[in-house]
Amino acid sequence: MTRSLVTWRLPLILLLSACGGGGSGDPPAPPPTFAVGGSVSGLNGLVVLQVNGGDDLTVSANGSFAFATALADGTAYSVSVRTQPSSPAQTCAVANPSGTVSGAAVTAPSVSCTTNVYAVGGSVAGLAGSGLVLQDNGSDDLAVAPGATSFAFATPVASGAPYAVGVKTQPTGPAQTCVVSAGSGTVGSTAIAAPTVTCTVNTAFVCGTSTNGTVVSHAGNIAASETWAGAGTVHLVTAPVTILAPATVTIQKCAIVRLAAGAGIDVRGDTTSGAFARLVAAGDDRVTGRVVFEKSSATAWGRLRALNPKSIIDLSFTALSGGGNVGGSQLNAVISLNGTGPLPDPMLRVIGVDIDAPAGAALYFSNAAFIADSDALNIAGHTDSMIAMPAMALGSVPSNTYGDNPNVALNEIRVVENANVFDNLTIATPVPIHFKADSVHVGGLAPTFVPNVTLTLERDVTLKFERASTSPTLVTFGDIGQPVDKNAALVVRGTADRPVRFTSAKAMPAPGDWAGLWLMTSNGSQIDHAIIEYAGGDASVGPVNCGPFDASINQPARHIAALLVGDGTDEQYVPPAGLITNSVFRSNAGNFAIDSVWQAPSFGPALTATNQFGSGPKFCKQSKNRKTGGCFVGGVDQSGCLVP
């Protein structure tokens, strides 16, 4: 019994021992842990820190930081920068970066960040002159030597800060203009080398030729006033433009207006409201302050056109070339004006205007005229007449209008639409005026019915006549056959060295090309220093007088003369003896130089004193007028020549 008890108790003791109960050899407890961190200053972005090569920590603000994983007491630590800030670029350094955890949180590491700075510079091309000074951000002046190919400013610029390279002083000797490209931006993380300074030797600015690099396109309607810049700005008219009332388009001096093929500018006033639309070319000098209109391609552009009396085209010191591509309309004129009449509406003002190489005529006036103060117009290279206009607009032509075409026959004004003069009119232009019509009437007919009309021709005026069909042109003044005939006077104010000329429009003129002048009822007429030539064509004039008998037709001689005077038989117009003075009749056909077709109590007056007569009239210088009661005196027929 005793042995068995001992055997049982030994295993129990071994079992207790194996379970560790109650012995003095138990393992020690783990050491405490503490946070590792520190402080950051000067940070302007994001910095990534590490401790002992791991446990990355992104810091975005100044102040304290702590890594996520605490370290056991007694553990060595080492704080470092894994990734430097990049926006802006900075360099962060750690002070007191390493040590051992010693029973407390670690706070000794100090991260200090400073923003990086980088040099600003670039390249230079074409610098030959001295005196070039560059600036960065409006300061840090840098003088660049002639021939330099690069530059760098002395003061670097911090990352994230702007830079702006500009020219403070342009070089001289030779004078140059330097332009900076890619000159501004924000400093990143490398030195700036993109700016390029390109220098070119200055050439003289030529107004109307030199451009400043600015190009503006125009097309469609313009309903509000606007200004087209000058100083070398190019304005492209890519499609037709219409200026609508009440808008005014003002083009400044030294602007260049380039128009596409067939494109033009219309000006449309409002005839209902009375509001004007205007195109104004505001040049101030023919050389240094002009406005230029020219084609943008090899094909001619269209025209400038005023569409109604409330439309004004006002051109000062303006040059127009290569226009008139309008399909034959209005003689392919580069400027056309369209009024309503009955008297022409003033719609075009020109001062110092040059028109070159229009497709046809330069100007076409339809019931329109020049504005009164127009002055100095020169037209060259035209393939049709310089100007086309109705007769009543002739008085508006500036006196100093000139044509410069080797084909001198085209240096003229063509009368179109209405060749008649029906209100007082004074013509002073020296440009020859071409009438192509079977008749021209001066006097108060429709639409005005002015009872007394005077046509005044100043010195140097030339009127050329061409028949429109088979009848030679006859120019008549006044009207006959009424109780009180309407009167129309012809006043010619030529001088000895600058006479007024009535002539043929043919390139090879001949006697009889046109009929002549007929002063029907023409009280107040006075012709001085005139030349009448190539007249005497038969216009079938039928008054009677006491002129000579023509045996070839067995009747009194027909009324064919360069100048017919009188109103037939009603005695409402008998000319004064001094009607025509200091004048020349030459190269005329017909029966007489002067045909007297008035009726008076006696023969005369003679109108030949002080005048010169060349060969040509068949019978005499002046026929006899009809004497009241007939051509018999004392029973003898006195018909014949008053002046042989």
Side-chain angles (χ1 to χ4, degrees):
M1 291 290 293
T2 305
R3 184 178 179 182
S4 298
L5 179 61
V6 171
T7 301
W8 171 83
R9 293 180 62 174
L10 287 172
L12 180 59
I13 295 170
L14 292 173
L15 179 61
L16 292 171
S17 175
C19 291
S24 61
D26 292 340
T33 61
F34 297 94
V36 176
S39 62
V40 176
S41 62
L43 178 63
N44 189 8
L46 299 176
V47 62
V48 180
L49 305 177
Q50 288 185 325
V51 60
N52 295 339
D55 197 14
D56 290 6
L57 174 64
T58 300
V59 180
S60 61
N62 294 313
S64 62
F65 69 89
F67 291 99
T69 303
L71 297 182
D73 189 28
T75 302
Y77 66 87
S78 178
V79 177
S80 61
V81 176
R82 179 181 183 183
T83 305
Q84 297 285 1
S86 61
S87 182
Q90 290 189 291
T91 298
C92 297
V94 185
N96 306 315
S98 59
T100 301
V101 178
S102 300
V106 175
T107 59
S110 174
V111 181
S112 298
C113 301
T114 56
T115 301
N116 299 345
V117 294
Y118 298 95
V120 175
S123 60
V124 180
L127 179 59
S130 60
L132 173 63
V133 177
L134 303 178
Q135 288 187 321
D136 182 27
N137 292 327
S139 60
D140 197 14
D141 290 7
L142 173 64
V144 184
T149 58
S150 63
F151 68 93
F153 289 99
T155 303
V157 177
S159 176
Y163 67 90
V165 178
V167 176
K168 178 181 181 181
T169 306
Q170 296 286 1
T172 58
Q176 290 186 282
T177 297
C178 297
V179 178
V180 181
S181 58
S184 61
T186 301
V187 176
S189 58
T190 59
I192 300 300
T196 299
V197 180
T198 303
C199 302
T200 56
V201 176
N202 294 348
T203 56
F205 179 82
V206 179
C207 180
T209 301
S210 300
T211 62
N212 63 15
T214 301
V215 179
V216 183
S217 294
H218 307 273
N221 293 339
I222 298 174
S225 295
E226 60 186 47
T227 298
W228 293 9
T233 300
V234 174
H235 296 272
L236 292 180
V237 177
T238 58
V241 167
T242 300
I243 303 169
L244 302 174
T248 294
V249 170
T250 302
I251 306 174
Q252 295 182 326
K253 66 179 183 180
C254 302
I256 301 172
V257 182
R258 291 179 178 157
L259 300 100
I265 301 175
D266 283 349
V267 184
R268 187 185 298 276
D270 189 333
T271 55
T272 300
S273 69
F276 281 89
R278 290 180 171 87
L279 172 63
V280 178
D284 62 9
D285 186 88
R286 230 172 188 142
V287 176
T288 62
R290 62 182 180 158
V291 174
V292 169
F293 291 83
E294 62 187 18
K295 57 189 178 182
S296 63
S297 66
T299 305
W301 56 282
R303 61 186 166 188
L304 308 181
R305 180 171 58 167
L307 297 172
N308 56 50
K310 298 300 180 181
S311 311
I312 301 297
I313 297 177
D314 187 348
L315 308 177
S316 294
F317 300 100
T318 300
L320 305 96
S321 65
N325 179 10
V326 292
S329 172
Q330 296 183 320
L331 302 182
N332 286 325
V334 71
I335 301 177
S336 69
L337 300 309
N338 300 276
T340 58
L343 293 176
D345 297 297
M347 297 171 64
L348 174 66
R349 180 176 182 262
V350 295
I351 294 180
V353 170
D354 298 288
I355 301 175
D356 182 57
L363 308 172
Y364 191 99
F365 295 81
S366 179
N367 284 322
F370 288 94
I371 293 173
D373 62 344
S374 291
D375 183 48
L377 172 64
N378 189 71
I379 299 169
H382 42 291
T383 58
D384 208 311
S385 302
M386 296 163 53
I387 302 170
M389 58 175 27
M392 284 305 306
L394 292 169
S396 71
V397 177
S399 59
N400 53 348
T401 296
Y402 300 99
D404 186 13
N405 195 316
N407 183 356
V408 294
L410 295 179
N411 293 328
E412 66 172 17
I413 299 168
R414 187 197 300 190
V415 177
V416 294
E417 299 187 0
N418 193 338
N420 296 322
V421 176
F422 47 84
D423 206 331
N424 294 324
L425 177 66
T426 297
I427 302 175
T429 177
V431 180
I433 298 167
H434 183 169
F435 289 82
K436 186 175 182 178
D438 289 339
S439 65
V440 176
H441 180 265
V442 181
L445 297 179
T448 60
F449 296 102
V450 176
N452 293 290
V453 171
T454 299
L455 172 62
T456 302
L457 305 178
E458 301 291 356
R459 60 185 186 175
D460 270 345
V461 169
T462 295
L463 304 186
K464 305 190 301 183
F465 301 100
E466 177 185 3
R467 66 182 69 194
S469 58
T470 59
S471 180
T473 309
L474 178 65
V475 185
T476 59
F477 291 77
D479 295 274
I480 59 176
Q482 303 171 55
V484 178
D485 294 336
K486 286 175 286 186
N487 189 74
L490 171 62
V491 175
V492 174
R493 295 173 175 167
T495 62
D497 57 336
R498 299 168 68 179
V500 172
R501 190 175 172 211
F502 301 88
T503 188
S504 168
K506 288 186 176 181
M508 300 292 291
D513 280 349
W514 63 291
L517 308 174
W518 186 4
L519 305 183
M520 289 182 173
T521 48
S522 200
N523 290 289
S525 291
Q526 171 62 57
I527 303 171
D528 188 47
H529 287 99
I531 296 173
I532 303 175
E533 59 187 4
Y534 304 113
D538 190 348
S540 301
V541 174
V544 296
N545 66 0
C546 294
F549 186 83
D550 186 348
S552 66
I553 59 174
N554 198 31
Q555 63 183 26
R558 291 173 55 78
H559 298 279
I560 308 172
L563 177 63
L564 294 88
V565 182
D567 59 348
T569 60
D570 60 7
E571 301 187 34
Q572 292 190 43
Y573 176 57
V574 176
L579 170 68
I580 180 167
T581 55
N582 304 307
S583 296
V584 176
F585 292 77
R586 65 190 184 193
S587 302
N588 295 308
N591 291 327
F592 318 105
I594 302 173
D595 191 12
S596 305
V597 292
W598 66 86
Q599 179 174 292
S602 60
F603 294 126
L607 306 177
T608 57
T610 75
N611 300 312
Q612 301 177 38
F613 297 86
S615 62
K618 181 177 180 181
F619 290 105
C620 47
K621 296 176 183 177
Q622 181 179 339
S623 64
K624 284 184 178 180
N625 57 287
R626 183 175 181 81
K627 185 173 174 291
T628 304
C631 299
F632 286 80
V633 177
V636 178
D637 187 355
Q638 296 291 325
S639 297
C641 294
L642 184 67
V643 182

